[in-house]
Amino acid sequence: GAVVSQHPSRVICKSGTSVKIECRSLDFQATTMFWYRQFPKQSLMLMATSNEGSKATYEQGVEKDKFLINHASLTLSTLTVTSAHPEDSSFYICSARDLGTSFSYEQYFGPGTRLTVT
Amino acid sequence: AQSVAQPEDQVNVAEGNPLTVKCTYSVSGNPYLFWYVQYPNRGLQFLLKYITGDNLVKGSYGFEAEFNKSQTSFHLKKPSALVSDSALYFCAVRDMDTGGFKTIFGAGTRLFVKA
């Protein structure tokens, strides 16, 4: 089956620093990747949609200058949390859709990255 | 607007008993419905989907879901629960208002299976 990896799985950083999270589709090409944020015991909140070779589309209320997304290839998207603050601590999950699929596409999810900002 | 509702925060069931995790939806047009499972500190895993065809959809790990158009429901079921089924379950619908591109997730239902 399709596999999506994320790196790192856990990261602890100091307030004010930046953190980069990588999302890779390992055995398929993904024109589109999605970045979610999940608070404890809550559902996934879509942050942005990342399209290969173009600018990401951010959901309302998500600061694009704080959460930088780059989708440089069909298998890699990165999320950089800039000038992180403790309130950015969360579980970040990426997902990808297979190239050329229709509305019935399945989303393949990465294992998530636990970010803790101290 | 498209939406899904999972009315139960938590479901408790004894091992070996049947389980049901409820989901209702509200969509314009034909629904594209999904169930995902999440284990602690992990991403979501796809269980099954309904696009068209038979109302009873069979998925991974012995799970199935029944699409009921009149009741706008898509409940997840399993005939005999296992302790290892304990996890967080999400119902989801494709957001056709935005061209079917994005997925809307329910709030999630935590399933506890007791031995």
Side-chain angles (χ1 to χ4, degrees), chain A:
Chain A
V3 179
V4 176
S5 70
Q6 273 184 251
H7 179 78
S9 58
R10 290 176 178 271
V11 58
I12 300 173
C13 70
K14 292 185 177 180
S15 186
T17 61
S18 295
V19 175
K20 179 184 285 188
I21 303 170
E22 292 186 349
C23 177
R24 293 181 184 274
S25 56
L26 298 185
D27 50 2
F28 67 100
Q29 292 182 320
T31 51
T32 305
M33 291 184 174
F34 304 91
W35 286 96
Y36 294 88
R37 184 173 179 177
Q38 185 180 30
F39 292 100
K41 299 184 179 180
Q42 293 190 28
S43 189
L44 281 69
M45 181 193 79
L46 180 63
M47 299 174 66
T49 302
S50 167
N51 295 298
E52 186 267 337
S54 64
K55 291 182 179 180
T57 303
Y58 290 83
E59 295 300 301
Q60 191 173 8
V62 178
E63 299 176 61
K64 62 180 182 180
D65 294 330
K66 181 167 185 62
F67 298 99
L68 300 179
I69 291 173
N70 183 276
H71 194 155
S73 76
L74 286 172
T75 59
L76 173 64
S77 176
T78 60
L79 168 68
T80 301
V81 182
T82 62
S83 187
H85 291 287
E87 57 264 32
D88 298 325
S89 299
S90 191
F91 194 53
Y92 292 87
I93 303 174
C94 75
S95 77
R97 55 173 282 190
D98 211 338
L99 180 68
T101 54
S102 66
F103 298 151
S104 63
Y105 73 86
E106 298 162 23
Q107 281 182 258
Y108 304 105
F109 287 83
T113 297
R114 172 79 55 197
L115 169 63
T116 303
V117 184
T118 61

Side-chain angles (χ1 to χ4, degrees), chain B:
Chain B
Q2 325 284 317
S3 66
V4 288
Q6 293 181 243
E8 303 156 315
D9 292 335
Q10 183 172 310
V11 170
N12 297 311
V13 66
E15 187 175 34
N17 284 358
L19 69 87
T20 299
V21 183
K22 296 180 180 178
C23 172
T24 58
Y25 64 89
S26 175
V27 301
S28 54
N30 295 321
Y32 295 82
L33 298 160
F34 301 78
W35 275 101
Y36 292 87
V37 59
Q38 184 182 32
Y39 295 98
N41 294 309
R42 300 294 300 274
L44 275 65
Q45 296 179 32
F46 169 80
L47 280 179
L48 51 80
K49 65 181 176 183
Y50 173 82
I51 305 299
T52 186
D54 291 339
N55 290 341
L56 186 63
V57 179
K58 294 189 181 297
S60 306
Y61 313 120
F63 284 93
E64 58 189 29
E66 185 169 10
F67 171 68
N68 188 316
K69 188 173 183 178
S70 62
Q71 296 184 6
T72 61
S73 66
F74 189 56
H75 300 332
L76 181 70
K77 299 181 179 182
K78 188 172 182 179
S80 178
L82 299 173
V83 172
S84 57
D85 292 330
S86 299
L88 188 56
Y89 291 81
F90 291 100
C91 183
V93 66
R94 193 70 80 231
D95 184 2
M96 301 308 290
D97 285 347
T98 57
F101 202 60
K102 294 188 288 188
T103 303
I104 298 172
F105 290 88
T109 298
R110 192 164 296 279
L111 173 66
F112 286 102
V113 181
K114 290 184 178 181

